[in-house]
Amino acid sequence: DSGVTQTPKHLITATGQRVTLRCSPRSGDLSVYWYQQSLDQGLQFLIQYYNGEERAKGNILERFSAQQFPDLHSELNLSSLELGDSALYFCASSNPDRESNTIYFGEGSWLTVV
Amino acid sequence: AQSVAQPEDQVNVAEGNPLTVKCTYSVSGNPYLFWYVQYPNRGLQFLLKYITGDNLVKGSYGFEAEFNKSQTSFHLKKPSALVSDSALYFCAVRDGGTYKYIFGTGTRLKVLA
């Protein structure tokens, strides 16, 4: 168990809908990362937050947004969903002051858009 | 831009034989390199990392990796493969400037009994 918690584990929704994925980082970790894993795209970096502030942005669509709250949990919001958004969404966390920059992953949230 | 390449989509090895999963990287500055393993329907698990120091890094489950600066490689190795090592392996590099972690495309390791 990495200590990173993601909910929900599985989600099925229709095209055009909006969903929110939630992540609780490891205790003490200030950084949260979001990744998308699909069969044909591998592991794509979406966005990173550090202590509530956006720190790095990757291939995140405009339909997607994220935030990190004062208690350090993070949410990834996906809107106007398309079939191609079906993927496994991972959250990871790290504390640069501890364990030399290793990031630890949650078990992921499976999103199926039908 | 920082990048990693995993040239093999799949590696097959017989149980008991040594295994190598290849990774090459491209970075500006000193590389922070990582290996992760993903079992079916699970998250990525950290195996080992190279930050500085000894070029041979030892990690979890008997895995090790050799950092080679001249060849810009960070190959994952294990002296004797187990069937239970069959999984998807990812190499990653941390971009020191942007704090992004860039992952390779993954190599599927299949250990045959």
Side-chain angles (χ1 to χ4, degrees):
Chain A
D1 183 2
S2 68
V4 180
T5 304
Q6 290 187 247
T7 57
K9 291 192 184 333
H10 300 274
L11 191 56
I12 301 175
T13 190
T15 54
Q17 295 299 304
R18 172 190 171 95
V19 299
T20 297
L21 309 180
R22 181 188 169 99
C23 170
S24 294
R26 295 188 316 157
S27 177
D29 283 359
L30 301 178
S31 282
V32 169
Y33 308 76
W34 286 98
Y35 286 84
Q36 179 194 57
Q37 185 179 32
S38 54
L39 286 175
D40 58 347
Q41 293 289 326
L43 199 64
Q44 297 292 317
F45 169 71
L46 296 178
I47 199 163
Q48 181 209 353
Y49 281 84
Y50 176 80
N51 203 19
E53 299 291 325
E54 181 183 306
R55 174 169 268 188
K57 209 165 189 176
N59 302 319
I60 188 166
L61 300 172
E62 285 191 10
R63 300 183 285 109
F64 296 0
S65 65
Q67 59 185 123
Q68 186 179 25
F69 294 88
D71 67 352
L72 301 177
H73 91 272
S74 179
E75 292 181 356
L76 179 66
N77 300 296
L78 315 175
S79 62
S80 303
L81 285 167
E82 303 175 357
L83 295 177
D85 297 328
S86 296
L88 185 53
Y89 291 85
F90 284 113
C91 172
S93 74
S94 73
N95 184 343
D97 296 330
R98 186 175 78 189
E99 297 189 67
S100 298
N101 306 296
T102 303
I103 62 171
Y104 292 90
F105 283 79
E107 292 295 305
S109 292
W110 274 103
L111 173 64
T112 301
V113 182
V114 298
Chain B
Q2 321 275 28
S3 65
V4 291
Q6 294 181 244
E8 302 154 318
D9 290 336
Q10 180 158 323
V11 170
N12 295 328
V13 63
E15 187 175 31
N17 282 2
L19 70 86
T20 299
V21 182
K22 295 179 181 177
C23 172
T24 58
Y25 65 89
S26 174
V27 302
S28 53
N30 294 323
Y32 290 5
L33 296 160
F34 304 82
W35 275 102
Y36 287 80
V37 59
Q38 185 181 26
Y39 297 100
N41 301 317
R42 302 295 302 277
L44 279 70
Q45 296 178 31
F46 168 71
L47 278 179
L48 51 79
K49 66 188 174 192
Y50 173 83
I51 304 298
T52 187
D54 194 349
N55 289 343
L56 185 63
V57 179
K58 294 189 183 297
S60 306
Y61 313 121
F63 284 94
E64 57 190 28
E66 186 169 11
F67 171 67
N68 187 316
K69 188 172 184 177
S70 63
Q71 297 185 6
T72 61
S73 67
F74 189 56
H75 299 333
L76 181 69
K77 301 181 179 184
K78 187 173 183 181
S80 178
L82 300 172
V83 172
S84 57
D85 293 329
S86 299
L88 186 58
Y89 290 81
F90 288 96
C91 180
V93 63
R94 200 202 86 163
D95 182 330
T98 65
Y99 300 95
K100 292 181 188 179
Y101 287 75
I102 309 300
F103 284 79
T105 51
T107 298
R108 192 164 300 280
L109 173 67
K110 191 169 184 180
V111 181
L112 307 169

